[in-house]
Amino acid sequence: MTVTRERALSASLEDYLEAILNLSAGSKVARSKDIAEVLEVSRSSVTGALRTLAEKQLVNYKPYGFITLTNQGWAQAEKVVRRHNIIKSFFVSILGVDPTTAGKAACRAEHALGPQIVNRLLHFIEFATANNNSGLDLAKEFTKFCENNFDKVGPDAGEQI
Amino acid sequence: MTVTRERALSASLEDYLEAILNLSAGSKVARSKDIAEVLEVSRSSVTGALRTLAEKQLVNYKPYGFITLTNQGWAQAEKVVRRHNIIKSFFVSILGVDPTTAGKAACRAEHALGPQIVNRLLHFIEFATANNNSGLDLAKEFTKFCENNFDKVGPDAGEQI
DNA sequence: TAATATAGTTAGTCAAGGCGAACTTTTCAA
DNA sequence: TTGAAAAGTTCGCCTTGACTAACTATATTA
């Protein structure tokens, strides 16, 4: 049996994969320039990352050619996106954080939280939804609780962390 | 008014500060060797980090001398520790994650989650506690929910993220 | 107190991941 | 169809943060 040693991707490379997947989904083709724009990185940095990802067989890439994800790369990218969505969803729908802040935080946290915790977050969302259906809206209760106890002076007043 | 431009600390430097605070709290003095041990890093890396932190006036450091936190460094370190504890606490007491996994994840996530979200997590813990007192034990309910829906085959079976 | 073990530092190296400037390819409009 | 403009690449450089090996300072103990 041939074992391909695949080391865990760095946060940075995961970001590139994620961006490529998102761009591919949107417009069918991921252009180097757009990746740079999305990740707020120079075009030359993108080239470097693409070379690395190609070495790892995660993207099909030849200079001046099209950029596509390999099957392996697609799978990896989907995992990242999935993690991202679960985390963001938790922030928004349970914690009541605004989508923009939640998205940015998810971007960073998606590289920090392992499968067990992400799974638990997912379950928790499901739990809240189930509870919601059976009468208790957890998110709403929490929001009310925050309003009563912390938000008296205004939205998110008194942040001192 | 003199403004000291203090750039945000890198994750790595935050880790050093945190380790120094924890060691100081435990044994009154943080030794270079112990920092290396805690962070699983070479002694020379510690020296390098201490030099950087000293430049930023966050530690009092002279070669071969004692290592202590400045007031500023102490304040920063406490923020990091506070963030860490809130996040870990959420993982353990709400999500029901084991303390070891939770601690490691908190270590990584504490650099990724901003004040708003950490605050919300803290509030959520308080919310759960308040609810707990008034009859509904959220954490217990969630655990039950997980057991009923996901843990049928064993603890954390079916992790596919 | 001298010898040695331990702690700490220095110097040199490396890899990752960024950048800008200059160059090459491709595209598109006149 | 040709010549700019846009897109992409290459090159050289920088920073961060880690490492090892070799050195120096401090502590300990016989």
Side-chain angles (χ1 to χ4, degrees):
Chain A
M1 185 167 75
T2 309
V3 177
T4 308
R5 275 264 154 268
E6 53 190 46
R7 209 191 315 262
L9 284 181
S10 68
S12 167
L13 291 181
E14 281 191 352
D15 285 337
Y16 281 100
L17 275 192
E18 191 181 9
I20 295 168
L21 181 59
N22 288 333
L23 286 168
S24 303
S27 62
K28 221 64 193 156
V29 61
R31 289 152 78 235
S32 192
K33 185 214 161 198
D34 298 327
I35 300 172
E37 214 155 88
V38 168
L39 297 180
E40 298 187 274
V41 126
S42 76
R43 282 170 302 156
S44 67
S45 298
V46 175
T47 304
L50 288 175
R51 220 168 333 136
T52 308
L53 290 171
E55 270 166 28
K56 293 179 187 294
Q57 327 232 37
L58 297 172
V59 299
N60 301 115
Y61 166 71
K62 280 191 179 162
Y64 299 103
F66 290 108
I67 300 158
T68 54
L69 292 164
T70 63
N71 288 341
Q72 209 190 132
W74 190 274
Q76 283 262 23
E78 275 196 320
K79 277 188 197 170
V80 179
V81 169
R82 184 174 146 76
R83 246 154 51 201
H84 177 100
N85 288 338
I86 291 171
I87 295 167
K88 177 175 174 186
S89 183
F90 175 81
F91 290 161
V92 172
S93 68
I94 308 289
L95 297 187
V97 174
D98 71 283
T100 309
T101 307
K104 287 178 190 167
C107 256
R108 284 172 275 124
E110 72 198 15
H111 312 295
L113 302 182
Q116 195 191 334
I117 288 182
V118 174
N119 237 3
R120 286 275 162 171
L121 286 176
L122 176 60
H123 293 348
F124 199 89
I125 295 168
E126 288 163 1
F127 167 68
T129 309
N131 259 320
N132 187 359
N133 293 337
S134 66
L136 174 69
D137 188 333
L138 211 53
K140 192 176 282 181
E141 288 299 317
F142 177 52
T143 303
K144 213 191 298 171
F145 176 81
C146 283
E147 280 165 5
N148 289 337
N149 294 279
F150 315 112
D151 296 348
K152 292 232 159 98
V153 200
D156 295 309
E159 303 285 0
Q160 80 286 59
I161 292 181
Chain B
M1 184 166 76
T2 309
V3 177
T4 307
R5 275 267 155 265
E6 52 191 45
R7 209 191 317 261
L9 285 180
S10 68
S12 166
L13 290 182
E14 281 191 352
D15 284 338
Y16 281 100
L17 275 192
E18 190 181 10
I20 295 169
L21 181 60
N22 288 335
L23 287 167
S24 303
S27 62
K28 223 62 192 157
V29 61
R31 289 151 79 234
S32 193
K33 184 212 160 201
D34 298 328
I35 300 171
E37 214 154 89
V38 168
L39 297 180
E40 300 187 271
V41 124
S42 77
R43 284 169 302 154
S44 69
S45 297
V46 176
T47 303
L50 289 175
R51 225 171 324 136
T52 308
L53 290 172
E55 269 165 29
K56 293 179 187 293
Q57 325 232 39
L58 297 173
V59 300
N60 300 116
Y61 166 73
K62 280 191 178 162
Y64 299 105
F66 292 108
I67 300 158
T68 54
L69 292 164
T70 62
N71 288 341
Q72 211 191 133
W74 191 274
Q76 282 261 25
E78 275 195 321
K79 278 187 199 169
V80 178
V81 170
R82 184 175 147 73
R83 248 154 49 201
H84 176 100
N85 288 336
I86 291 170
I87 295 167
K88 177 176 175 186
S89 184
F90 175 81
F91 290 162
V92 172
S93 67
I94 308 289
L95 296 187
V97 173
D98 71 283
T100 309
T101 306
K104 285 178 192 167
C107 257
R108 284 172 275 125
E110 72 197 14
H111 312 296
L113 302 182
Q116 194 190 335
I117 287 181
V118 174
N119 239 3
R120 287 276 162 168
L121 287 175
L122 176 59
H123 294 346
F124 199 90
I125 295 169
E126 289 162 2
F127 167 69
T129 307
N131 261 321
N132 186 0
N133 294 335
S134 67
L136 174 69
D137 189 333
L138 211 53
K140 192 176 282 178
E141 287 300 316
F142 177 52
T143 303
K144 213 192 295 171
F145 176 81
C146 284
E147 280 167 3
N148 288 337
N149 294 280
F150 314 110
D151 296 347
K152 292 232 157 99
V153 199
D156 296 309
E159 303 286 358
Q160 79 286 57
I161 292 184

